[in-house]
Amino acid sequence: MYPLPEPPTKTSLAEARRDLALHQQSVKALSTKIQSAEDELSRIVEQSRCAIHELEKERAALEDRVALTLAYISPIRRLPHELLRYIFLIDFDEYPCCAWVLSAVCSLWRRLALSMPTLWSKQPLQTPSAYGWNAPGTAFPSTLKSSCERSLFMQP
């Protein structure tokens, strides 16, 4: 603070009022600059968020393509379908409910499992969840009905 005389005089009060007005104008100007800087920062942050969102979408699309390519070049895809069917039948001997599990792996395995009536011919009197595979919303009667339809309808 400035060294002002005590008690205040008319001249010192006038000088203090001028200083006060100047300081208030400076505070107002600085507040305006701060608000402008904050607004600019908000715009930069919003633009950056949009750019990041677009990059994340691009990354997700590339990750999907990587996953599809990895699945495509997977060694198991090069096995002949006849060999996969043979493996399914070997699995069927040990786990009669394997048709449910095998048909849930991928679309190719589902087509192969559905094309093999034998896999659906011997179903235990338990739901697939009893074998460690949870089929949400699948009740025993509908499970048995599906298995019967698949084993009878698809017989050569």
Side-chain angles (χ1 to χ4, degrees), residues 29-106:
L30 285 173
S31 294
T32 302
K33 285 182 180 180
I34 290 170
Q35 187 61 48
S36 293
E38 286 177 346
D39 291 345
E40 180 63 23
L41 179 60
S42 293
R43 280 191 295 278
I44 291 169
V45 167
E46 184 60 31
Q47 288 173 349
S48 296
R49 283 190 180 140
C50 288
I52 289 169
H53 180 69
E54 289 301 315
L55 291 170
E56 287 173 338
K57 284 178 19 182
E58 191 176 329
R59 179 181 62 190
L62 286 173
E63 286 173 342
D64 287 346
R65 292 191 77 180
V66 165
L68 289 172
T69 303
L70 285 172
Y72 180 75
I73 64 174
S74 174
I76 197 155
R77 293 190 58 105
R78 291 190 289 273
L79 286 178
H81 293 176
E82 294 78 23
L83 184 56
L84 275 174
R85 285 186 183 103
Y86 180 72
I87 293 169
F88 289 2
L89 289 174
I90 291 172
D91 195 33
F92 173 70
D93 290 337
E94 191 171 340
Y95 303 102
C97 204
C98 72
W100 293 100
V101 177
L102 295 172
S103 65
V105 172
C106 66

Side-chain angles (χ1 to χ4, degrees), residues 112-130:
L112 289 175
L114 289 174
S115 71
M116 299 175 64
T118 306
L119 287 182
W120 303 95
S121 64
K122 192 169 49 168
Q123 293 298 313
L125 294 177
Q126 295 174 320
T127 62
S129 60

